[in-house]
């Protein structure tokens, strides 16, 4: 009796045990897939009681427009936080777009960071971007600069364009864009090349979008006053630092603030009639093989930590609740009434016309 | 039996060599032509011509390149001819160190040299700081003439060596022979010296032309500053900045390739038709003028002036720029610092990483290039079968074709949709590109070594029972080793400083010393870039000098 009881109990346990084991070995993945909530619950119970953040690993390829120092700090900060290895190509907006075009047949990039909003809008219209509506802190961004409706791109920072000048050579800085067409500035002014510098392109298209076709007069007068088109932003600024030229028209402000902080004899003015602010959008590319990592990268760009890095790099933070350090903040800079859609539609044409005028 | 197996081995090895060369060198170049004549999915032979002729800008770019080539020929001649005469005909020629020093301008990467010149000459530059009155020269320098000057100062050593060797080989005997037969000076000059010198000069001038129109560094730095655009800078622009245009890039590349191939063909014609046997058994005797008095003053003055312009000025700027604390402050003792070097060489810094990348890439690439190059050189051997000639031609092609053209071809090939080997955007793509670009060095050096070996040596080895491997290891290898070492060294040095390929094909998050320097110029950290230039040029130059000193065949390599 005892024996049979013991035997049946043994049988029962083995049967139950075997069926349970079979279930756990063969059906776990199916159960996970079909019933993620219960699985999440069990892991939450058995493991550490953390929120349901996915553990990240592997790589992320980022093509990023400068500034180099900030890009490197963001890369390091993101790597430290997530353990994802970031491979970063740093270049100007023009070079990044060209690289993506060259790699069209074999895309490797996950996230792009540009220095030009219209270029990013163009990519959105071409259907190249992966929407990420759930991006953390996206609601705090300056709404004009980001695709808040669909979450296609997020401007995590911005820079304003101004007139940068050498303080040793210039005692009374120009106060308006028209000043630079005067004879006293003949041959002493640089302007960045819009085919290389996204922010310069933004300035030119932004200015034209606000002024209409008559806006071209300014640039034609610049040309006849021997304004030189000189590479990307830093190449335009460099001769001004060394004193070879006196002024950069449409120079990015953060570079000027940075050089000034290092002790170089430069300063910047924002013309009274207004200027253009060039947002720096980031987006996930649709072909991204590492979508989770890419989303985490966007979240990181909008995080307090990265926004603080942005502010330290003399850029305007993308979030309205973060203030820039040691520089003019957004509300202190008067801007033109720019039309981003027009800028996006006409950027190629404007860039070509401009470089033809200045070549 | 033994002979047969040897033959079939040779046949397989030769076929394989040809196949590899076709894939590595020929296919990329053919793809450029193909892409340029097959725009919009439709065959159109005249498309590249129409693309270029249809655009006023591109015609101008083409004429710019050609004009620049001709101008540089003229100015290098002006620099090199007197120098060659001085070094061949006066006792300044006994100073062997001068020959090593005269190679420095040629070994200085042009993008660094141009940068040095720009820093020196620009408004508020070093020259103006040292000599304020000199600022009147600035506008004259930042012009077409300045560009020709910079490029000529880079290339003249090349023409000089050719001309000097020709002058030395003409020697006294031939002139004396003419003189004995009653020829007056003018007649001797016209009928002996000119024809003998002309063939060397013709070759040199053609090579200068090709090197000038293939050059990327100076147009990318100086040319951009003055708004002077040439084929190479435009090709680079069309594939690396927005809006990208492969059609225009490949059309221009086809054109550049075509011009260079024509020049190369003319060059082979000249060298086969107008080459004279000048080396006899007797050894040449040269009458040299004493460098005293007016001859001495003029000769030394000329050499010193040329060295100041070609080495003094650029290196002064490069070193000064690498030491300045603040660039806006100008040259003064209180504004000097070594912190850029410290920052560059600090562990984990981007600069150090780039430097190490360059060295490892160069070591791997030159090792592979030496193995492949030696194999190809031995395949070519002394033989003159069609297959050997073709192998020879293909393996030397990268030397004739401008670097940027090959790089465009390699991108088209390895990034093509149908390419099953995922090499593009990886480390190995860079290695592959360096190998292809610099293969000709090893091939040339090894071929030269091999050409001097009498086949009876190998036959003797076989007669005495040596296996093939043994004969190779104990007879052939030691004899061609100097050529292999020279090829390795040359590939190492040049790939270490290579710019245009690195700019276009480096995978993300990777830099070499050259792209680091270029990026620092773009990012405004000129001091860091120049510190890197000093270190990378310094280290490779020292390596070259050590090798030059150790190498048993010093004389022969001084072509």
């Amino acid at each position: 009796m005892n024996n049979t009881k013991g035997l049946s109990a043994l049988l029962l346990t083995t049967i139950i045990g075997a069926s349970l084991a079979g279930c756990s070995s063969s059906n776990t993945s199916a159960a996970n897939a079909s019933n993620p909530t219960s699985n999440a619950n069990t892991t939450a119970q058995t493991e550490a009681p953390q929120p349901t953040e996915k553990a990240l690993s592997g790589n992320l390829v980022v093509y990023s427009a400068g500034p180099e120092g900030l890009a490197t700090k963001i890369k390091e900060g993101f790597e430290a936080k997530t353990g994802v290895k970031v491979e970063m190509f740093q270049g100007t907006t023009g070079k990044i777009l060209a690289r993506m075009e060259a790699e069209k047949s074999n895309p490797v990039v996950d996230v792009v960071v540009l220095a030009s909003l219209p270029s990013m809008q163009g990519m959105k219209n071409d259907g190249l971007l992966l929407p990420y509506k759930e991006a953390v802190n996206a609601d705090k961004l300056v709404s004009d600069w980001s695709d808040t409706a669909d979450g296609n791109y997020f401007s995590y920072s911005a820079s304003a364009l101004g007139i940068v000048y050498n303080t040793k050579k210039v005692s009374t800085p120009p106060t308006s864009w028209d000043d630079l067409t005067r004879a006293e500035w003949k041959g002493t002014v640089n302007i960045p090349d819009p085919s290389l510098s996204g922010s310069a392109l933004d300035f030119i298209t932004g200015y034209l979008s606000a002024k209409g076709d008559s806006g071209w007069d300014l640039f034609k007068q610049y040309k006849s006053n021997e304004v030189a088109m000189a590479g990307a932003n830093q190449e335009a600024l460099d001769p001004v630092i060394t004193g070879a030229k006196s002024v950069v028209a449409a120079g990015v402000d953060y570079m000027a603030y940075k050089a000034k902080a290092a002790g170089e004899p430069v300063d910047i003015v924002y013309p009274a009639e207004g200027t253009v602010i060039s947002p720096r959008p980031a987006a996930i590319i649709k072909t991204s093989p590492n979508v989770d990592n890419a989303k985490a990268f966007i979240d990181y760009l909008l995080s307090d930590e990265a926004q603080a890095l942005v502010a330290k790099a003399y850029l305007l933070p993308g979030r309205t609740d973060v203030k820039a350090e040691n520089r003019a903040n957004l509300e202190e800079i008067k801007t033109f009434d720019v039309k981003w859609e027009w800028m996006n539609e006409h950027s190629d044409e404007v860039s070509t016309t401009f470089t033809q005028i200045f070549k | 039996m033994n002979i047969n197996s040897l033959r079939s081995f040779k046949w397989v090895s030769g076929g394989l060599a040809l196949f590899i060369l076709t894939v590595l060198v020929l296919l990329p170049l053919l793809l450029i032509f193909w892409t340029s004549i097959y725009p919009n999915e439709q065959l159109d032979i005249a498309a590249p011509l129409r693309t270029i002729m249809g655009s006023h800008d591109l015609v101008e770019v083409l004429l710019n390149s050609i004009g620049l080539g001709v101008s540089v020929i003229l100015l290098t001649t002006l620099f090199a001819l007197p120098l060659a005469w001085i070094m061949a005909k006066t006792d300044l020629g006994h100073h062997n160190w001068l020959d090593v020093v005269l190679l420095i301008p040629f070994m200085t990467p042009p993008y660094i040299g141009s940068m040095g010149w720009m820093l020196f000459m620009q408004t508020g530059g070093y020259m103006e700081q040292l000599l304020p009155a000199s600022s009147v020269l600035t506008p004259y320098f930042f012009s077409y003439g300045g560009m020709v000057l910079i490029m000529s100062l880079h290339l003249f050593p090349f023409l000089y060596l050719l001309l000097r060797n020709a002058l030395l080989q003409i020697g006294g005997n031939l002139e004396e022979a003419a003189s004995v037969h009653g020829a007056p000076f003018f007649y001797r000059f016209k009928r002996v010296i000119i024809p003998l010198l002309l063939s060397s000069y013709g070759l040199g001038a053609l090579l200068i032309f090709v090197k000038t129109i293939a050059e990327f560094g100076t147009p990318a730095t100086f040319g951009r500053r003055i708004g002077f655009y040439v084929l190479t800078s435009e090709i680079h622009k069309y594939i690396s900045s927005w809006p990208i245009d492969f059609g225009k890039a490949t059309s221009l590349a086809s054109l550049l390739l075509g011009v260079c191939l024509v020049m190369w063909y003319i060059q082979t014609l000249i060298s086969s038709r107008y080459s004279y046997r000048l080396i006899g058994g007797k050894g040449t005797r040269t009458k040299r003028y004493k460098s005293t008095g007016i001859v001495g003053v003029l000769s030394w003055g000329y050499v010193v002036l040329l060295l100041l312009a070609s080495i003094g000025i650029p290196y002064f700027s490069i070193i000064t720029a690498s030491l300045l604390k603040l660039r806006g402050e100008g040259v003064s003792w209180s504004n000097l610092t070594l912190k850029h070097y410290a920052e560059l060489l600090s562990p984990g810094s981007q600069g150090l990483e780039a430097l190490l990348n360059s060295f490892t890439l160069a070591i791997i690439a030159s090792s592979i290039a030496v193995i492949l190059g030696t194999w190809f050189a031995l395949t070519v051997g002394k033989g003159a079968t069609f297959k050997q000639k073709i192998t020879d031609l293909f393996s030397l092609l990268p030397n004739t074709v401008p670097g940027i053209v090959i790089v465009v071809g390699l991108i088209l090939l390895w990034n093509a949709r149908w390419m099953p080997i995922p090499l593009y955007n990886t480390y190995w793509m860079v290695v592959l590109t360096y190998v292809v670009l610099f293969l000709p060095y090893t091939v040339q050096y090894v071929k030269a070594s091999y050409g001097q070996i009498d086949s009876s040596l190998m036959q003797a080895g076989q007669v005495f029972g040596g296996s093939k491997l043994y004969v190779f290891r104990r007879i052939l290898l030691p004899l061609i080793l100097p050529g292999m070492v020279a090829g390795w060294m040359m590939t190492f040095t040049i790939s270490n400083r290579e710019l245009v390929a690195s700019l276009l094909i480096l995978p993300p998050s990777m830099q070499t010393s050259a792209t680091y320097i270029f990026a620092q110029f773009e990012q405004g950290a000129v001091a860091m870039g120049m510190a890197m230039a000093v270190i990378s040029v310094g280290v490779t130059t020292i390596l070259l000098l050590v090798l030059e000193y150790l190498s048993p065949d010093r004389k022969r390599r001084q072509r």
Side-chain angles (χ1 to χ4, degrees):
Chain A
M1 183 66 186
N2 267 350
N3 252 352
T4 46
K5 209 176 187 179
L7 191 71
S8 62
L10 191 73
L11 254 174
L12 198 68
T13 43
T14 40
I15 289 166
I16 292 172
S19 65
L20 276 179
C23 182
S24 66
S25 68
S26 64
N27 292 356
T28 323
S29 52
N32 279 356
S34 63
N35 198 0
T37 42
S38 75
N39 186 49
N41 281 340
T42 45
T43 47
Q45 280 162 11
T46 52
E47 285 165 24
Q50 274 176 356
T52 53
E53 192 172 277
K54 277 181 217 161
L56 297 172
S57 64
N59 286 1
L60 182 71
V61 182
V62 180
Y63 290 180
S64 168
E68 197 179 334
L70 175 64
T72 309
K73 280 194 188 116
I74 287 179
K75 169 185 150 136
E76 283 163 2
F78 177 71
E79 282 179 340
K81 197 166 186 187
T82 58
V84 172
K85 170 103 184 69
V86 176
E87 286 177 30
M88 190 175 265
F89 168 76
Q90 299 199 348
T92 59
T93 301
K95 283 184 187 166
I96 289 171
L97 294 176
R99 196 178 176 109
M100 289 180 63
E101 177 75 18
E103 292 168 357
K104 215 163 53 181
S105 50
N106 293 308
V108 292
V109 60
D110 297 300
V111 173
V112 286
V113 180
L114 298 181
S116 169
L117 184 56
S119 305
M120 192 60 100
Q121 289 172 323
M123 287 167 77
K124 176 197 162 188
N125 294 345
D126 292 344
L128 297 174
L129 305 180
L130 184 85
Y132 176 40
K133 279 187 196 172
E134 307 80 23
V136 184
N137 290 329
D139 51 329
K140 293 176 186 152
L141 289 171
V142 179
S143 55
D144 281 357
W145 301 344
S146 296
D147 184 24
T148 37
D150 300 322
N152 279 294
Y153 54 84
F154 310 90
S155 292
Y156 76 107
S157 71
S159 71
L161 286 308
I163 297 178
V164 184
Y165 59 95
N166 183 310
T167 50
K168 282 182 170 176
K169 305 198 81 176
V170 179
S171 47
T172 45
T175 53
S176 106
W177 297 111
D178 288 327
D179 280 1
L180 297 176
T181 62
R182 293 211 205 117
E184 59 183 301
W185 300 105
K186 194 168 186 135
T188 61
V189 181
N190 267 351
I191 193 165
D193 181 346
S195 75
L196 293 168
S197 158
S199 51
L201 181 63
D202 281 7
F203 174 77
I204 295 160
T205 53
Y207 184 85
L208 291 170
S209 80
K211 300 267 167 174
D213 263 355
S214 63
W216 279 113
D217 292 346
L218 178 75
F219 300 119
K220 283 178 188 152
Q221 283 172 37
Y222 275 8
K223 175 60 187 174
S224 54
N225 210 22
E226 293 175 21
V227 171
M229 187 174 74
N233 295 312
Q234 190 68 48
E235 285 165 281
L237 175 62
D238 228 38
V240 173
I241 290 178
T242 57
K245 295 269 180 176
S246 302
V247 169
V248 188
V252 280
D253 53 358
Y254 68 88
M255 278 183 192
Y257 289 121
K258 190 179 166 214
K260 188 182 166 188
E264 301 284 11
V266 289
D267 210 340
I268 182 167
V269 287
Y270 300 107
E273 76 260 38
T275 184
V276 175
I277 289 183
S278 171
R280 309 168 73 83
I284 305 170
I285 299 300
K286 206 168 224 167
T287 50
S288 163
N290 306 301
V291 174
D292 288 343
N293 293 351
K295 287 180 173 172
F297 189 79
I298 297 289
D299 288 344
Y300 182 75
L301 281 179
L302 307 185
S303 69
D304 296 355
E305 188 179 321
Q307 288 291 305
L309 290 175
V310 167
K312 262 200 199 107
Y314 307 102
L315 282 158
L316 293 163
R319 270 167 53 182
T320 47
D321 57 337
V322 183
K323 289 286 159 232
E325 292 174 15
N326 304 320
R327 57 155 293 151
N329 264 297
L330 186 53
E331 53 280 4
E332 298 157 43
I333 302 166
K334 184 164 189 283
T335 55
F336 290 124
D337 192 13
V338 300
K339 302 178 186 71
W340 293 109
E341 269 312 310
W342 187 93
M343 289 162 72
N344 165 35
E345 281 160 24
H346 294 81
S347 61
D348 280 3
E349 167 196 330
V350 167
S351 172
T352 315
T353 314
F354 187 87
T355 42
Q356 262 163 9
I357 291 177
F358 275 83
K359 216 168 180 178
Chain B
M1 175 66 196
N2 193 13
I3 297 280
N4 273 340
S5 74
L6 193 69
R7 272 201 192 132
S8 67
F9 170 75
K10 270 197 168 164
W11 194 87
V12 170
S13 156
L16 195 61
L18 200 56
F19 173 74
I20 290 179
L21 275 171
T22 307
V23 172
L24 286 185
V25 180
L26 194 65
L27 213 53
L29 295 180
L30 288 179
L31 259 182
I32 292 179
F33 274 129
W34 179 249
T35 313
S36 68
I37 61 171
Y38 197 77
N40 317 320
E41 322 274 295
Q42 203 167 359
L43 190 63
D44 183 355
I45 306 280
L49 271 182
R50 222 170 326 107
T51 311
I52 290 160
M53 293 304 161
S55 154
H56 175 69
D57 289 354
L58 296 187
V59 174
E60 193 186 309
V61 160
L62 172 65
L63 294 178
N64 279 353
S65 271
I66 292 174
L68 191 66
V70 173
S71 306
V72 171
I73 290 178
L74 293 178
L75 199 57
T76 44
T77 309
L78 212 63
F79 289 149
L81 198 57
L83 187 68
W85 188 87
I86 290 170
M87 294 300 279
K89 299 289 184 187
T90 74
D91 59 7
L92 256 66
H94 295 310
H95 297 282
N96 281 332
W97 59 269
L98 265 177
D99 267 354
V100 179
V101 172
L102 279 167
L103 282 176
I104 295 178
F106 189 52
M107 294 308 294
T108 307
Y111 57 96
I112 297 174
S114 315
M115 238 3 236
W117 268 101
M118 281 154 66
L119 290 173
F120 193 79
M121 298 296 292
Q122 70 191 3
T123 311
Y126 303 139
M127 183 176 76
E128 207 179 303
Q129 291 173 29
L130 300 173
L131 201 77
S134 61
S135 62
V136 290
L137 290 176
T138 308
Y140 297 105
F141 181 77
F142 283 91
S143 65
Y144 177 71
M147 186 148 165
V148 174
L149 179 71
I150 292 176
M151 296 187 91
S152 302
L153 284 172
H154 169 63
L155 287 172
F156 84 90
F158 184 76
L159 192 62
Y160 149 72
L161 281 179
L162 275 173
L163 289 177
R164 187 207 56 178
N165 288 355
L167 278 173
L168 281 178
Q169 283 170 1
I170 294 172
N173 325 24
L174 295 170
E175 259 191 275
E176 276 167 26
S179 171
V180 165
H181 286 280
F185 173 78
F186 182 70
Y187 186 84
R188 281 192 331 249
F189 189 70
K190 198 175 106 188
R191 301 306 293 258
V192 179
I193 300 196
I194 295 255
L196 289 174
L197 206 55
L198 212 56
S199 68
S200 292
Y201 177 72
L203 277 185
L206 280 178
L207 287 172
I208 294 278
F209 183 84
V210 170
K211 279 182 183 295
T212 305
I213 65 170
E215 176 55 53
F216 171 74
T218 308
T221 46
F222 191 86
R224 201 153 75 180
R225 170 77 76 91
I226 62 168
F228 187 81
Y229 303 94
V230 295
L231 288 171
T232 49
S233 59
E234 288 300 277
I235 295 171
H236 180 256
K237 188 187 106 184
Y238 284 124
I239 53 176
S240 73
S241 68
W242 188 256
I244 197 167
D245 192 334
F246 271 117
K248 278 184 184 161
T250 50
S251 296
L252 288 177
S254 305
L255 196 71
L256 187 54
L257 182 59
V259 172
C260 289
L261 289 179
V262 168
M263 290 295 159
W264 171 78
Y265 182 69
I266 298 175
Q267 175 211 322
T268 49
L269 275 190
I270 293 184
S271 59
S272 65
R273 191 167 302 172
Y274 298 102
S275 66
Y276 304 94
R277 296 202 176 275
L278 292 170
I279 306 175
K282 277 191 177 169
T284 46
R285 202 159 39 82
T286 317
K287 197 181 104 203
R288 286 183 190 269
Y289 298 96
K290 282 252 174 295
S291 57
T292 49
I294 187 80
V295 177
V297 170
L298 282 180
S299 310
W300 275 114
Y302 187 78
V303 171
V304 168
L305 215 63
L306 205 54
L307 289 181
L308 266 184
S310 61
I311 303 173
I313 288 177
Y315 277 93
F316 170 80
S317 300
I318 293 166
I319 294 170
T320 308
S322 73
L323 294 173
L324 285 187
K325 247 182 244 167
L326 283 179
R327 306 191 45 228
E329 285 302 322
V331 185
S332 68
W333 288 112
S334 61
N335 195 25
L336 297 186
T337 173
L338 280 172
K339 76 165 190 222
H340 304 299
Y341 288 91
E343 198 178 321
L344 190 72
L345 295 176
S346 65
S349 77
Q350 280 193 9
L352 190 65
E353 206 174 288
L355 198 64
L356 294 177
N357 267 340
S358 270
F359 277 104
T360 29
L361 276 173
I363 287 173
I364 297 174
S366 41
S367 303
I368 297 176
V370 159
I371 294 168
L372 285 180
T374 307
W375 175 27
F376 297 150
L378 295 180
T379 306
V380 172
K382 298 164 202 172
T385 65
F386 180 68
K387 203 162 88 185
Q388 282 168 321
K389 277 185 177 161
I390 289 281
T391 308
D392 193 26
L393 178 68
F394 287 176
S395 63
L396 295 181
L397 206 53
N399 223 3
T400 315
V401 177
I404 192 164
V405 174
I406 297 210
V407 175
V408 172
L410 287 171
I411 293 175
L412 290 178
L413 174 65
W414 293 96
N415 193 30
R417 225 176 274 267
W418 43 264
M419 172 52 71
I421 308 166
L423 213 54
Y424 185 76
N425 244 332
T426 67
Y427 192 88
W428 295 103
M429 182 70 196
V430 190
V431 172
L432 175 99
T433 309
Y434 287 175
V435 169
V436 173
L437 283 177
F438 306 123
L439 199 57
Y441 290 106
T442 317
V443 175
Q444 269 166 337
Y445 289 133
V446 173
K447 233 170 57 184
S449 299
Y450 188 67
Q452 292 176 335
I453 302 170
D454 197 320
S455 56
S456 60
L457 284 173
M458 260 84 80
Q459 286 161 7
Q462 275 188 340
V463 165
F464 286 101
S467 70
K468 263 181 307 205
L469 196 66
Y470 186 84
V471 170
F472 177 76
R473 192 161 54 85
R474 298 302 298 266
I475 300 176
L476 189 57
L477 198 59
L479 287 171
I480 58 170
L481 203 60
M484 289 171 70
V485 173
W488 191 91
M489 209 61 209
M490 204 63 189
T491 312
F492 177 81
T493 312
I494 297 193
S495 46
N496 218 324
R497 303 166 176 189
E498 207 291 327
L499 176 67
V500 63
S502 316
L503 275 180
L504 291 172
I505 52 152
L506 277 182
S509 97
M510 190 174 166
Q511 276 191 322
T512 65
S513 53
T515 59
Y516 179 88
I517 294 169
F518 210 71
Q520 299 315 303
F521 294 163
E522 281 184 351
Q523 292 275 340
V526 173
M528 295 293 286
M530 287 308 192
M532 174 68 101
V534 171
I535 292 174
S536 86
V537 171
V539 171
T540 46
T541 306
I542 289 169
L543 280 175
L544 268 189
L545 289 180
V546 169
L547 185 92
E548 182 76 21
Y549 182 74
L550 293 178
S551 165
D553 56 348
R554 278 160 77 176
K555 280 283 154 241
R556 187 165 53 71
R557 280 195 300 107
Q558 290 179 359
R559 290 178 301 157

